[in-house]
Amino acid sequence: MSDVDAIPVNDMLLELRNRTIADIVQLQDFHVFTGYSYDRYAKMVAAGHLTGNVTNLRTSTTLADKEVADILLAYLDDDLPQVVLYQVVAYYETFFFDFLKILLQNNPYALSQKRQLAVQEVLSQSDLQKLILYLIERELHELRYKNVQEWFAYLERVINLKTIGISEINRLSELKATRDIVAHNAGIVNDIYIQKAGSLARARIGEAISVSRPYVYDSADFLKHLVFELTNDAYARLHQ
């Protein structure tokens, strides 16, 4: 018996939606409350309430509280938003492919009908359900390396949802391109970013991409919106 047989598809979609939203909300709280603590520390130093030193025992680095405060304020504007951006995009990517997996388990006929398998690949699966799951995971693994527009073109083939438009897909493309350039090119824009971001590109080749706190705040809210819209639309379609 497959997971889809054991648990109704709509219940799986709602559980996935709720879990992803909870993860993003927790990350948003981490962002805001960590930033608040950095700012509060700096204010306490400025008011003269903290005047000692702080030592990192693992590196033997010792800094005065004033130096620590300066570093924390730099983290607040640079490092912290980048960490949050990386994680929130990862949460969305996990959601999107789990979302597709649920839909494909419900309707495996949406899988590619021209895929060729080696005999060994078929024989290594103990039953039909495991073979279907193997095909789903293989197909989704290949899709992960394609661009966001192709992700949604594939989704449209699986289930025709009307909620997400081209403007939202383009925004997601730019957001993912920003995450990728921060993770893989130290935030310096290259032609890959320009290609992925398209008309929404926020910097030119050779420039450092901005990952400001407002950009990250808005991006997290935007991804929650996508999660809600996709799952609610799919729920409604499958509940007809």
Side-chain angles (χ1 to χ4, degrees), residues 177-227:
T178 293
R179 189 284 305 271
D180 291 346
I181 207 68
V182 168
H184 304 302
N185 204 46
I188 304 302
V189 169
N190 57 18
D191 57 346
I192 297 175
Y193 168 83
I194 297 297
Q195 179 184 358
K196 290 180 178 178
S199 62
L200 297 183
R202 298 184 297 114
R204 294 178 292 186
I205 292 177
E207 295 178 343
I209 196 74
S210 170
V211 184
S212 65
R213 279 182 280 168
Y215 176 82
V216 176
Y217 295 152
D218 291 344
S219 295
D221 286 339
F222 169 65
L223 293 178
K224 285 194 299 186
H225 163 75
L226 288 186
V227 170

Side-chain angles (χ1 to χ4, degrees), residues 20 23 36 49-50 55 71 96 102 126 133 144-145 162 170 174 183-184 187 200 202 205 214:
T20 305
D23 285 341
Y36 172 79
H49 299 307
L50 297 172
T55 299
I71 288 175
F96 187 81
I102 292 170
S126 59
L133 184 59
R144 284 180 183 273
Y145 294 95
K162 301 297 185 181
N170 289 342
E174 192 286 320
H184 304 302
L200 297 183
R202 298 184 297 114
I205 292 177

